[in-house]
């Protein structure tokens, strides 16, 4: 039977030092940050692409069109026109001296409730409006509004 060893080697490891703790794993933090930033970027880009098209309601499209023209925002006004009108009218034409609301001073816009156009389906409605140009001129009519990537104005009568 072998004898147990005695001496400094059998007592343990007196000069042993445990290794330094490993640095914290930051991979999940980096990946999580990248995912959050990418989500925010896609949300902003998506909002700009979709939000730059039509309005949320037919009444909003008509009011937004006249308000944009009154504010001199031809880009927003042009976005609120249907594709057919956009092809016929440039942004510059909207703000020309002969354009709608030319010379108006603080116009007021009143928009009525939308009604379905008979036989056209639910994607085409008519919206009555009245515009007072601030100079004593009042213009009333009806705007035809279509639903295409949001509500957009596609014609006027009256």
């Amino acid at each position: 039977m072998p004898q147990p060893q005695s001496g400094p080697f059998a007592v343990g490891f007196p000069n042993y030092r445990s290794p330094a703790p490993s640095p914290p794993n930051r991979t999940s933090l980096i990946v999580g940050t990248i995912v959050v930033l990418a989500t925010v970027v896609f949300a902003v880009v998506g909002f700009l692409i979709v939000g730059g098209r039509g309005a949320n309601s037919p009444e909003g499209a008509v009011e937004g069109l006249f308000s944009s023209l009154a504010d001199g925002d031809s880009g927003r006004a042009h976005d609120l026109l249907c594709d057919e009108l956009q092809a016929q009218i440039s942004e510059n034409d909207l703000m020309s001296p002969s354009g709608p609301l030319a010379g108006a001073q603080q116009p007021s816009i009143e928009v009525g409730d939308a009604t379905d156009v008979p036989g056209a389906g639910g994607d085409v409605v008519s919206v009555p409006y009245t515009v007072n140009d601030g100079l004593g001129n009042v213009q009333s009519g009806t705007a035809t509004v279509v639903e295409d990537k949001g509500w957009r104005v596609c014609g006027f009568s009256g």
Side-chain angles (χ1 to χ4, degrees):
M1 173 167 187
Q3 291 186 340
Q5 265 186 334
S6 64
F9 296 111
V11 178
F13 302 97
N15 292 330
Y16 176 76
R17 290 189 186 155
S18 60
S22 57
N25 187 354
R26 298 195 185 263
T27 304
S28 59
L29 177 66
I30 293 169
V31 170
T33 302
I34 291 171
V35 167
V36 167
L37 289 175
T39 303
V40 169
V41 167
F42 284 120
V44 168
V45 170
F47 177 78
L48 291 175
I49 290 172
V50 174
R53 297 300 288 166
N56 292 331
S57 69
E59 296 88 351
V62 175
E63 187 169 348
L65 175 66
F66 286 119
S67 296
S68 298
L69 291 172
D71 294 341
D73 187 355
S74 62
R76 176 69 179 144
H78 201 255
D79 281 344
L80 289 170
L81 298 176
C82 68
D83 292 336
E84 182 182 328
L85 283 182
Q86 283 182 355
Q88 296 172 9
I89 303 170
S90 71
E91 286 185 33
N92 293 335
D93 291 341
L94 287 173
M95 302 312 296
S96 71
S98 62
L101 297 183
Q105 298 174 353
Q106 299 178 349
S108 64
I109 301 131
E110 293 180 25
V111 177
D113 292 332
T115 56
D116 289 336
V117 173
D123 291 343
V124 180
V125 297
S126 62
V127 179
Y129 65 89
T130 302
V131 177
N132 184 334
D133 68 1
L135 301 172
N137 300 317
V138 178
Q139 179 184 8
S140 295
T142 304
T144 302
V145 184
V146 297
E147 208 289 315
D148 177 26
K149 299 176 188 165
W151 291 98
R152 297 165 50 189
V153 178
C154 204
F156 294 96
S157 61

